[in-house]
Amino acid sequence: MRSRTILIVDDEPKSREGLKKMLGVWSAGQFEVLTASNGVDALQILEQTPVELMITDIRMPEITGLALVSQLRERGIRSQPSVILISGYAQFEYAQQAIHLSVVDYLLKPVSRDKLVESVEKALKAGEERERLLFMRKMADPQLLEVRNEEAALSDPVRQAIQFVEMHLEEAISLQEVAGHVHLNGSYFSALFKEQCQINFSEYVARRKLQKAKELLLKTNLPIAEIASRTGYQAVKYFNKLFKEHEGMSPGQYRSMRNETKAEVR
C-alpha cells in the first residue's frame, strides 16, 4: 500500500527541519515527510511522487512559494496536493494570492506545533473532500443528473416511481410493478415517464443500478458478484455485459480508476 506523503519546502534549514520533526511526531509513522530546500527540487519530487500535502515558505530564492504553487497548477502535475503557505511576513498581498491559488491555509512564522497540526488536519480534510468530488464526477451519469435537476417539475407519480427505484435497487424492478405502485396503467405510466424524464423507464432503472454499482466499485472492495447482486443482477455475466455496454470497460477495469483518482488528487 502506497504511503501518504507530506512535502515541506523551505530554504531555511532550521525551519525546514523543525517542521519535519513536529510532523514526524504528530503523524507517528502514518505519513512520510519529505523536504526540499527550493522550488526546483520540490517540482522534481512532485513530478515523481504522489504528495498529499505541501507546506511551502513563500519567500525563497529562484522560485517563490506562490510561484511554486502556480507552476504546480499550470503544469498539470498529476499529484495536486493541498497546500499550506508559511511566511515570516504578514502581507495582505500574499494572502490574496494564496486565496486565488486555492491554498488551504496561510501561517505566519514562527509556527507553533498546535497551529501547524490544526492547519495540516484541515488541509488533509480538504484533500479528502476534493477526492470525494472527483469520485462523484467520475461516477456521474449525465442523463440521471438531468432527471435529478428537473425533479421539482415532475408529477407526483413520476417522483414516487423514482423514490420506489431508489428503495429497491437490490431487486429486479419491472415497469408493471412500479406502475401499480403509483396506481397508473402500465402503458400510460411508461409514456408519462418518458415525456417528463426524456428517458425510458427501463433505461432509467438500468442506469441507476449501474450508477450504484459504480459507487460500490470505487468505494468498496466487495467482489464483483456481490456488487451485481446488490444491484439486482443475479447473473454476473449479464451484469458484466451490461456494464461494459454502458461504460466501455469491465467492472474490474472501472474499479482500477480508484487508484488512478487518488494519484491525481494527491
Side-chain angles (χ1 to χ4, degrees), residues 7 9-10 54-58 60 65 68-69 83-86:
L7 173 62
V9 191
D10 195 329
M54 180 173 73
I55 303 170
T56 180
D57 191 10
I58 288 182
M60 295 187 296
L68 172 60
V69 179
V83 177
I84 296 172
L85 289 174
I86 55 175

Side-chain angles (χ1 to χ4, degrees), residues 210-234:
L210 288 172
Q211 183 85 5
K212 179 65 176 179
K214 288 192 284 186
E215 278 183 43
L216 294 172
L217 284 165
L218 291 179
K219 294 183 176 181
T220 76
N221 292 316
L222 289 170
I224 304 297
E226 176 66 17
I227 291 174
S229 177
R230 289 195 183 195
T231 49
Y233 298 103
Q234 298 307 315

Side-chain angles (χ1 to χ4, degrees), residues 57-251:
D57 191 10
I58 288 182
R59 292 171 69 96
M60 295 187 296
E62 295 184 57
I63 301 177
T64 67
L66 288 166
L68 172 60
V69 179
S70 183
Q71 285 193 37
L72 177 65
R73 307 296 191 227
E74 289 171 5
R75 290 190 185 189
I77 291 175
R78 197 172 186 185
S79 171
Q80 289 287 328
S82 297
V83 177
I84 296 172
L85 289 174
I86 55 175
S87 174
Y89 305 87
Q91 293 191 14
F92 180 65
E93 182 185 346
Y94 286 161
Q96 275 189 314
Q97 292 181 62
I99 291 169
H100 178 69
L101 291 167
S102 301
V103 169
V104 176
D105 213 346
Y106 177 62
L107 303 177
L108 292 177
K109 290 182 177 181
V111 182
S112 70
R113 181 193 178 280
D114 289 346
K115 186 62 180 174
L116 176 65
V117 168
E118 179 187 349
S119 183
V120 165
E121 290 178 346
K122 173 179 156 186
L124 292 172
K125 188 174 181 181
E128 289 169 2
E129 177 62 13
R130 194 165 67 248
E131 182 177 308
R132 187 187 71 80
L133 292 173
L134 188 52
F135 272 170
M136 293 293 287
R137 283 199 294 273
K138 283 184 178 294
M139 290 187 293
D141 181 313
Q143 287 193 271
L144 293 182
L145 285 175
E146 200 170 320
V147 172
R148 184 177 298 174
N149 291 338
E150 298 297 325
E151 193 168 349
L154 302 177
S155 63
D156 285 342
V158 172
R159 277 204 301 271
Q160 289 171 22
I162 288 172
Q163 289 169 5
F164 183 92
V165 171
E166 290 301 310
M167 294 174 65
H168 297 82
L169 285 173
E170 295 188 10
E171 305 167 17
I173 302 172
S174 72
L175 185 147
Q176 292 299 330
E177 177 187 18
V178 178
H181 176 74
V182 298
H183 310 294
L184 291 177
N185 169 274
S187 297
Y188 178 72
F189 167 70
S190 177
L192 182 68
F193 193 94
K194 175 68 181 294
E195 178 187 355
Q196 295 189 8
C197 298
Q198 306 301 308
I199 183 175
N200 290 328
F201 178 73
S202 59
E203 186 179 353
Y204 175 85
V205 171
R207 285 180 175 273
R208 185 61 191 91
K209 284 175 174 287
L210 288 172
Q211 183 85 5
K212 179 65 176 179
K214 288 192 284 186
E215 278 183 43
L216 294 172
L217 284 165
L218 291 179
K219 294 183 176 181
T220 76
N221 292 316
L222 289 170
I224 304 297
E226 176 66 17
I227 291 174
S229 177
R230 289 195 183 195
T231 49
Y233 298 103
Q234 298 307 315
V236 181
K237 283 186 178 179
Y238 177 70
F239 170 73
N240 287 337
K241 179 175 178 291
L242 191 66
F243 193 97
K244 193 163 187 178
E245 285 177 358
H246 277 262
E247 300 300 324
M249 65 183 80
S250 70

